[in-house]
Amino acid sequence: MSAKINVTRSSMPDFEEYCEEIKDLWDSHWLTNMGAKHKQLEAELKKYLNTPNITLYTNGHLALENIIAAMDFPKGAEVITTPFTFASTTHAIVRNGLIPIFCDVNPKDYTIDVAKIEELITDKTCAIVPVHVYGNLCDVDRIADIAKKYNLKVIYDAAHAFGVTYKGVSSANFGDASMFSFHATKVFNTIEGGAVCFHDNSLSEILDNLKNFGIKGPERCVFVGGNAKMNEFQAAMGLCNLRHLSAELEKRKKVVEHYRERLAGIKGIVLCAPQADVEPNYAYFPVVFDGYKYNRDQVFAMLGEQNIVARKYFYPITNSFECYKDYPTAGAEKTPVAKYLSDRVLTLPLYADLAIEDVDKICDIILG
Ligand SMILES: *Cc1c(COP(=O)(O)O)cnc(C)c1O
């Protein structure tokens, strides 16, 4: 059987480059708690993402949980979000004692359907948590208008949108805050890791308290915080990977362009069109099978037989998770577009070093 092609493959620097980066940790013996690497990565990401404030985290999920906590919404308040996402988005809302209200997505770029947000707003609504799914940006202008009209906070799950810009503006700048994930499978990784970017300077101190036990000095603890700090080895990986990011994105672009050449214009195969005014990051390549000679599950199985792993991402959608079955807002049928997509979508293997011959092999199987 031929070599396995996974759905993704983590970006890594050369072994020697990473060793060089971590060498001085053997001098300092300072491994975590906002050390030199952490500070340097924070500064470099602040610049790269062009954001007024950034706080690093040990993973994206805790970054999202903490930024929601930092907003201090009343328990039981409602948060409008979408179910066409990773478990993390909905869990972060619920673990903060808030109620997720599921809005459907639009069939064009699979982000929140802005025409359906207002009908879900009640006097309990406190925030909107939209997702830049697959790196496709939400309609940030319309969402900003709605948030202003109803006085709601907007926290973007930007886990997929690292490095994406809209009219030249970094994805880190929309809404009140944006969470990025630097998980191994993401476009930019720190092994595990994440960050929150935000506008309100006063959130910095709250986030620092939330991620480090609320400890303010050797003899002062001012806040009931948890622990979500990024360590020095994670930050070192980030410093290395950031050096190679633009080259990685260039390579991803070539892979995506080849997929498009091979799969565009085929009846029953729906590709996500590039967004106007958006500089993408080529994070994922979702394909929707609708009326094609094979359905999604058949394509998934055919690829699997050839040792190629595609991903049913996102299936199931979060409002059909069994852990939410007793929630009054649960039920995939309430978000028909998200349900339709989750039954038909497959994300194909995509990473910087995926060979063009392998893209051809994958397309040959799909078109077979
Ligand atoms: C990866 C991801 C997260 C969580 O990030 P981690 O760094 O894995 O904790 C949240 N939301 C979405 C949409 C993701 O893809």
Side-chain angles (χ1 to χ4, degrees):
M1 194 178 238
S2 48
K4 183 169 179 172
I5 302 175
N6 235 321
V7 68
T8 187
R9 185 166 176 270
S10 299
S11 296
M12 290 169 84
D14 286 343
F15 180 62
E16 291 74 22
E17 184 181 347
Y18 187 66
C19 290
E20 191 54 42
E21 189 63 57
I22 60 175
K23 215 169 175 187
D24 42 7
L25 299 176
W26 268 259
D27 301 325
S28 67
H29 282 244
W30 186 291
L31 304 185
T32 184
N33 286 54
M34 285 62 82
K37 305 283 174 199
H38 183 289
K39 287 201 179 82
Q40 189 185 340
L41 183 65
E42 208 162 53
E44 289 190 16
L45 287 176
K46 188 170 182 228
K47 202 163 144 210
Y48 177 78
L49 292 168
N50 198 13
T51 173
N53 298 288
I54 183 168
T55 300
L56 302 186
Y57 275 90
T58 193
N59 61 56
H61 177 76
L62 286 172
L64 185 59
E65 258 193 46
N66 280 8
I67 185 62
I68 295 172
M71 302 270 178
D72 207 15
F73 300 121
K75 291 279 172 260
E78 295 174 354
V79 176
I80 296 172
T81 186
T82 59
F84 193 65
T85 184
F86 187 54
S88 170
T89 321
T90 309
H91 288 354
I93 294 165
V94 174
R95 287 169 60 84
N96 271 292
L98 304 168
I99 314 287
I101 304 293
F102 296 104
C103 184
D104 209 351
V105 296
N106 75 66
K108 201 164 145 245
D109 58 27
Y110 318 149
T111 64
I112 193 165
D113 186 341
V114 289
K116 293 182 181 154
I117 295 175
E118 285 191 84
E119 66 199 53
L120 298 173
I121 295 174
T122 70
D123 54 6
K124 284 190 173 165
T125 310
C126 61
I128 309 173
V129 176
V131 184
H132 297 310
V133 65
Y134 303 132
N136 290 340
L137 291 191
C138 299
D139 185 344
V140 291
D141 296 326
R142 184 76 191 104
I143 291 168
D145 289 344
I146 295 169
K148 194 165 173 219
K149 182 170 166 193
Y150 295 92
N151 193 25
L152 304 174
K153 297 286 186 200
V154 178
I155 302 164
Y156 282 103
D157 180 332
H160 293 182
F162 186 84
V164 179
T165 63
Y166 170 57
K167 294 181 176 166
V169 178
S170 155
S171 58
N173 280 295
F174 303 113
D176 295 279
S178 298
M179 174 279 285
F180 293 95
S181 165
F182 309 147
H183 183 257
T185 55
K186 302 300 203 287
V187 164
F188 166 73
N189 85 76
T190 60
I191 308 171
E192 294 250 16
V196 185
C197 298
F198 50 98
H199 292 287
D200 177 357
N201 299 341
S202 71
L203 287 171
S204 279
E205 195 182 338
I206 305 171
L207 291 173
D208 287 345
N209 282 334
L210 280 163
K211 79 172 184 185
N212 190 28
F213 307 106
I215 290 173
K216 274 287 159 230
E219 299 185 3
R220 281 188 73 207
C221 189
V222 298
F223 193 92
V224 190
N227 180 9
K229 303 183 297 290
M230 178 183 280
N231 70 50
E232 292 290 276
F233 289 83
Q234 293 172 287
M237 185 63 116
L239 288 170
C240 294
N241 280 336
L242 199 54
R243 282 179 207 129
H244 304 289
L245 183 66
S246 61
E248 294 277 298
L249 294 183
E250 257 327 290
K251 289 187 188 168
R252 280 178 172 271
K253 181 180 181 184
K254 290 208 167 67
V255 172
V256 165
E257 281 173 351
H258 199 68
Y259 269 131
R260 283 195 185 282
E261 265 167 44
R262 294 289 316 270
L263 299 176
I266 290 167
K267 200 171 164 296
I269 294 185
V270 184
L271 308 181
C272 220
Q275 295 180 294
D277 301 319
V278 170
E279 184 61 38
N281 65 357
Y282 312 99
Y284 299 90
F285 197 76
V287 177
V288 170
F289 296 92
D290 183 11
Y292 186 57
K293 59 182 169 179
Y294 310 118
N295 67 30
R296 186 270 308 271
D297 290 352
Q298 287 169 323
V299 176
F300 177 82
M302 284 156 53
L303 291 170
E305 278 162 23
Q306 302 298 319
N307 220 5
I308 296 165
V309 185
R311 193 170 170 199
K312 299 178 192 178
Y313 196 57
F314 298 98
Y315 173 85
I317 45 179
T318 69
N319 55 355
S320 66
F321 283 3
E322 40 180 295
C323 56
Y324 293 125
K325 70 179 189 309
D326 296 328
Y327 275 64
T329 61
E333 71 288 349
K334 290 178 190 153
T335 53
V337 179
K339 165 136 182 51
Y340 163 93
L341 290 169
S342 80
D343 287 338
R344 290 168 182 78
V345 74
L346 203 58
T347 55
L348 300 182
L350 171 56
Y351 45 88
D353 288 328
L354 181 61
I356 294 301
E357 301 83 73
D358 285 335
V359 176
D360 276 326
K361 186 176 162 192
I362 292 162
C363 293
D364 288 343
I365 294 167
I366 293 170
L367 298 172

